[in-house]
Amino acid sequence: MTTMELFPEVQGFLAEQKRLFIGGDWVEPAAGEYFNVENPATTLNIASVSKATAADVDHAVQAARQALEGEWQHVSPAQRTKLMLRLADLIEEDAENLGQIISLENGKPYSNAKNGEVVVTANVIRYFAGWPSKIEGSTIPVSPRTGERMLNYTVKEPVGVCALIVPWNFPLSMCAWKLGPALATGCTSILKPAEQTPLSALRLAYLIEKAGIPRGVVNVLTGFGEGAGAPLAAHPGVDKIAFTGSTGVGRLIAQSAVSNMKKVSLELGGKSPNIILPDADIIKAAKGAADGIFYNQGQVCTAASRLYVHESVLDQTLEELRKHAAAHVVGPGLNEQTTMGPLVSSAQFDVVKGYVDSAVSEGAELICGGGKPSELGDGYFMSPTVFLDKQEQARVAREEIFGPVVTVMSWSDVDELVHRANDTPFGLAAGLWTNDLTQAHTIASRIKAGSVWINCWNVVDPASPFGGYKQSGWGREMGKNVIDAYTETKSVFVNLG
């Protein structure tokens, strides 16, 4: 494989010891502690990053509060739009550097990072840049019991200081999903990236500074969940938490929010059903199924990890899945031929390998994959893996794995299929492959999921709401729905008598 050389600016960025971004300044962590960031393709350390603690959380919350009650509240909607558009332009201009940084810390192929995640990040910021002038109140024709003539109107105000806690699977675009509406509504933020992937968030902080966004409006704390994330979620000076991650951690965050009744939005786990009907174009459906599970090494909350195939087309679908799995080139993200990088960490590799190893003993049949490609040395690589589990008994068929592992199940009766698809604590996404529009809309209406894709998978747009049913989360991100999550509605009565 041909490995890309690191760009000079990326080399310089990695060589610097990374400080915290608080109040517009780059500051040393209060405890003076740092931790190393690992490249999952080589297991080598690539950068040293500040380890934030509760004292740093206090500092960041104070800076965010000061900005909220100071300069930022006087920045007009038009000015917020201008600043956000400037930030989006800077993200695009820095796409090559950001792409390498993401590939190094996360493992995903450089082309996916640069042409996928960085582009999405800029587009999300641009979408929300259009919102500041469109966050409107309303007048309401009220009839007070006392008979006075009243003018009643509502005002949308920023919810306040927001804690934005983002995951490692899309370390830059998930920042934009939360920073976009926070900036648009006039909130201030403390951004806490995952400890596995803090570098792209720090690079974003540099661009935020360069864009001229006022000091303290966005603060970035790097560190671990117990040292920085937990005190941030529990801090009485935080008005809202937005979290993307596991359902287990989401429960802990919801419990922390009770102390001062913070507003909370949670985008959590999934075990998404993907359904192939007998009339579907099997070639296209199988490709869509493969893309739905192997993209981003399967480290996607909406991963198409449960594949329900009608019994009449099961053998053909399995053969097509084998072909797509075999076509993937697994390797380091900076190798130009790579189409699937490593898993993000040793811990994640162990989780995925544990599921694979237990699957056969639980009754699943291994169709392909199941281990690390023999030609690869160091690094947390996992081959694209396909299981067949007709009885749907193995853990791989029921629990979120977060790796390139799909379990195929056959079906024959639609009513039973819908029951099986909904028989999960999650409800984030689902998909259908069919040429029968009546069947497509009928089944889609019966599936309990926040997103249902018909003859496609993982189509996400900043204008469209995203979130889940059941234990897949609270609230929605993106679109106009998310504006309510970052605003408070004030009702004002004026006596005109």
Side-chain angles (χ1 to χ4, degrees):
M1 292 186 179
T2 303
T3 302
M4 296 179 62
E5 295 291 333
L6 290 184
F7 301 125
E9 194 160 348
V10 173
Q11 292 180 25
F13 175 79
L14 296 176
E16 299 171 356
Q17 195 171 54
K18 303 296 179 295
R19 292 172 290 176
L20 306 171
F21 186 62
I22 300 177
D25 295 320
W26 294 94
V27 302
E28 300 286 342
E33 295 182 356
Y34 292 79
F35 66 98
N36 290 323
V37 179
E38 184 183 54
N39 178 354
T42 64
T43 74
L44 299 176
N45 294 329
I46 54 174
S48 177
V49 175
S50 295
K51 186 177 180 181
T53 59
D56 301 302
V57 171
D58 280 338
H59 186 185
V61 172
Q62 290 170 13
R65 180 67 58 187
Q66 185 175 352
L68 180 74
E69 298 174 355
E71 179 183 0
W72 188 232
Q73 66 177 320
H74 302 297
V75 175
S76 70
Q79 289 173 311
R80 290 206 303 274
T81 291
K82 185 176 181 181
L83 289 168
M84 293 176 70
L85 290 175
R86 172 64 176 149
L87 176 59
D89 288 344
L90 289 172
I91 291 168
E92 270 192 349
E93 291 168 13
D94 202 45
E96 290 186 342
N97 295 322
L98 283 167
Q100 281 199 342
I101 291 166
I102 293 168
S103 183
L104 284 168
E105 67 179 352
N106 168 276
K108 69 180 65 181
Y110 169 75
S111 59
N112 290 352
K114 174 178 175 286
N115 301 320
E117 185 160 359
V118 177
V119 170
V120 165
T121 300
N123 288 343
V124 169
I125 297 295
R126 283 202 182 95
Y127 169 80
F128 283 109
W131 268 104
S133 61
K134 301 170 186 65
I135 301 171
E136 303 171 339
S138 59
T139 57
I140 303 170
V142 296
S143 303
R145 65 182 183 277
T146 51
E148 289 99 336
R149 183 181 172 212
M150 292 282 178
L151 168 64
N152 178 220
Y153 62 92
T154 61
V155 180
K156 290 282 193 180
E157 297 181 345
V159 72
V161 175
C162 302
L164 313 178
I165 304 175
V166 300
W168 45 257
N169 58 336
F170 293 97
L172 186 66
S173 60
M174 290 295 100
C175 293
W177 279 35
K178 293 168 173 53
L179 273 178
L183 291 169
T185 55
C187 294
T188 58
S189 302
I190 300 100
L191 176 64
K192 163 63 177 70
E195 62 266 23
Q196 297 90 342
T197 55
L199 300 176
S200 47
L202 290 169
R203 185 70 179 182
L204 179 62
Y206 160 75
L207 299 176
I208 286 168
E209 183 181 29
K210 190 175 180 180
I213 292 172
R215 296 161 63 88
V217 170
V218 181
N219 307 272
V220 179
L221 296 180
T222 55
F224 292 79
E226 62 275 17
L232 180 59
H235 200 287
V238 171
D239 302 299
K240 175 192 167 51
I241 307 172
F243 171 76
T244 296
S246 71
T247 297
V249 176
R251 289 193 188 98
L252 296 176
I253 286 176
Q255 292 166 8
S256 295
V258 172
S259 60
N260 68 330
M261 301 304 291
K262 296 176 180 68
K263 304 296 185 291
V264 179
S265 54
L266 303 171
E267 196 270 284
L268 307 176
K271 189 66 177 175
S272 301
N274 195 12
I275 299 164
I276 298 180
L277 275 69
D279 66 289
D281 182 325
I282 301 304
I283 303 297
K284 292 181 179 178
K287 183 181 186 306
D291 291 343
I293 187 59
F294 300 142
Y295 174 69
N296 207 48
Q297 298 73 252
Q299 299 171 137
V300 185
C301 55
T302 56
S305 56
R306 288 191 293 154
L307 182 60
Y308 293 97
V309 182
H310 191 269
E311 59 186 11
S312 65
V313 293
L314 178 62
D315 291 342
Q316 183 183 358
T317 302
L318 287 173
E319 183 57 34
E320 290 297 317
L321 283 175
R322 281 194 194 93
K323 292 178 183 177
H324 288 293
H328 270 290
V329 178
V330 181
L334 293 185
N335 285 351
E336 295 177 358
Q337 293 83 11
T338 293
T339 62
M340 181 183 291
L343 299 173
V344 74
S345 66
S346 173
Q348 188 60 25
F349 179 87
D350 290 344
V351 167
V352 176
K353 190 66 167 63
Y355 275 105
V356 169
D357 291 344
S358 69
V360 174
S361 65
E362 294 172 338
E365 177 187 350
L366 180 63
I367 303 300
C368 62
K372 184 177 182 178
S374 58
E375 70 275 11
L376 295 173
D378 294 334
Y380 310 121
F381 300 100
M382 174 64 68
S383 297
T385 300
V386 180
F387 281 103
L388 176 64
D389 184 10
K390 293 183 179 180
Q391 303 303 314
E392 204 168 343
Q393 296 299 314
R395 291 168 58 226
V396 290
R398 306 194 60 81
E399 299 178 15
E400 186 175 38
I401 300 172
F402 234 61
V405 181
V406 61
T407 306
V408 182
M409 285 85 62
S410 62
W411 66 275
S412 58
D413 177 76
V414 169
D415 290 333
E416 179 194 11
L417 166 70
V418 170
H419 172 76
R420 290 165 64 188
N422 288 331
D423 184 21
T424 172
F426 301 112
L428 190 57
L432 298 165
W433 298 85
T434 179
N435 288 311
D436 185 337
L437 282 177
T438 299
Q439 190 80 290
H441 288 296
T442 299
I443 295 176
S445 70
R446 299 174 66 187
I447 296 292
K448 303 300 182 185
S451 295
V452 179
W453 295 299
I454 299 174
N455 293 332
C456 56
W457 191 269
N458 218 27
V459 179
V460 180
D461 189 275
S464 182
F466 180 88
Y469 287 30
K470 298 185 278 188
Q471 293 184 35
S472 285
W474 289 351
R476 293 294 182 270
E477 297 201 274
M478 312 284 262
K480 65 181 181 180
N481 302 66
V482 77
I483 298 300
D484 287 340
Y486 288 82
T487 55
E488 295 279 20
T489 300
K490 179 180 287 182
S491 180
V492 180
F493 286 84
V494 182
N495 190 338
L496 300 177

